[in-house]
Amino acid sequence: MLRKFVAPEIIFGSGALLQVGRYARSFHASRVLVVTDPGVVAAGWAAMVEGNLADCGVDYVRFSGVSPNPRSAEVHAGAEAYRQGNCDLIVAVGGGSPMDCAKGIGIVASNHSPILDFEGVDRIAAPVPPLIFIPTTAGTSADVSQVAIINNEQERYKFAIISKSVVPDVALIDPDTTATMSPYLAACTGVDALVHAIEAFVSTGSGPMTDMFALEAMDLINRHLPRLVQGKGSDNDRERVMEASLKAGLAFSNAILGAVHAMAHSLGGYLDLAHGECNAMLLDHVVDFNFPQAEERYTRIALQLGLPVAGETPDQVRRRLVGYLREFKKSVGIINSLGPAGVKYGDIAILAGKAVKDPCLLTNPRSADQADLDTIYREAL
């Protein structure tokens, strides 16, 4: 079968963010909109990027009004800042929220329509401005993906925009930026990358290119994330986790995802919960549900994670893999389930009703209707 693979130009390594001014000049930018958030500003990364732009003679305007789950209203405010500032290039500095918001800003600024009009697959007509992305977390992979996730705050759900139009032109991936993450944020974003890799590998849209990146990402996260989160890690562990995020992002951007993300988008938008934590709370339950439809793929995942499953029956592999994923989450400090996170039984029908419409569900290996998703949410309580 034919397979498409899209990716930005990627610069990876310590000091990569200091290439931003040079790249902005290569696009002949007259003024840049720097999209970031208050946490990244406090950590000093936004100022470092802006200083490099200034040193290279590139003017800029800062937009930092981005929430942890970027709202559609924030996208529109950013697009107005882009227009008022007469900008012609967007630099995003931060985790998934500033990067997704920056994609939305570019869409609205070029297409002159509300961001809600672009929900779904390949709905963008006019090209977005050039995008240079600098991730400061290791997990979301918005810096290399063709996906943007925005929160519809009126309807309380996250919606996906999938288009190669929002693949950044340049990703400056600097592992040094992750040094300011808290251990829990590192855990949540790292498990998010693990989910990206697992869902990409079992996706109905997977192929040899995406498989390669997905398997490598799983191995790197499995070996390096626990040490990093537990305070035993080195600069090499930090770099390897960032590499895993990159590779998982290349995998899922091209293979797309599955039920974990469909359900996490619904959950995060409804209760305004952190995306990585939502994925973590749902991962093992979705693997348990999907396993009968993708036994060989999940067995390969178990082997990649170092589990001694050779010769075991499919049911034994399933139980061992699900159990391992639960223990792995605990090893990095993620112990919440949906109930303590604030989900009530009365919320589940609403959550399932929104999740079943998410485009990520289209590439899940096992067909799932609203009743199936309802059951998985209940098991995750």
Side-chain angles (χ1 to χ4, degrees), residues 41-173:
V41 171
W45 301 118
M48 186 175 293
V49 166
E50 291 165 350
N52 186 260
L53 289 170
D55 289 345
C56 292
V58 180
D59 196 9
Y60 64 87
V61 176
R62 178 191 290 179
F63 177 75
S64 60
V66 182
S67 302
N69 291 309
R71 277 74 165 154
S72 57
E74 294 166 355
V75 170
H76 296 144
E80 184 60 25
Y82 181 89
R83 286 190 288 262
Q84 290 293 325
N86 294 314
C87 299
D88 50 10
L89 185 146
I90 299 173
V91 171
V93 190
S97 297
M99 291 190 285
D100 281 343
C101 190
K103 292 180 180 183
I105 290 168
I107 294 167
V108 173
S110 294
N111 290 269
H112 310 291
S113 295
I115 192 63
L116 288 169
D117 291 352
F118 303 97
E119 179 179 0
V121 181
D122 292 335
R123 302 286 301 277
I124 301 168
V128 303
L131 302 173
I132 301 175
F133 279 16
I134 304 169
T136 61
T137 61
T140 61
S141 305
D143 46 298
V144 296
S145 81
Q146 57 178 325
V147 181
I149 305 297
I150 307 297
N151 195 1
N152 180 335
E153 61 269 43
Q154 281 75 40
E155 300 295 327
R156 295 177 64 188
Y157 76 99
K158 288 182 177 181
F159 62 92
I161 299 169
I162 302 174
S163 169
K164 66 180 181 181
S165 295
V166 297
V167 176
D169 296 275
V170 179
L172 303 176
I173 304 175

Side-chain angles (χ1 to χ4, degrees), residues 100 121 139-142 145-149 160-162 191-206 210 214 218 245 247-265 275 279 283 286 290 298 355 358-367:
D100 281 343
V121 181
T140 61
S141 305
S145 81
Q146 57 178 325
V147 181
I149 305 297
I161 299 169
I162 302 174
V191 173
D192 189 15
L194 179 62
V195 176
H196 289 158
I198 290 173
E199 291 212 290
F201 190 71
V202 301
S203 163
T204 59
S206 64
T210 59
M218 292 178 215
S245 173
K247 289 178 174 178
L250 292 172
F252 94 77
S253 178
N254 290 280
I256 312 301
L257 294 159
V260 178
H261 272 77
M263 297 175 71
H265 292 156
H275 175 65
N279 277 333
L283 172 60
V286 172
N290 280 343
Y298 281 116
D358 192 290
C360 290
L361 200 61
L362 297 175
T363 47
N364 194 63
R366 181 177 176 183
S367 179

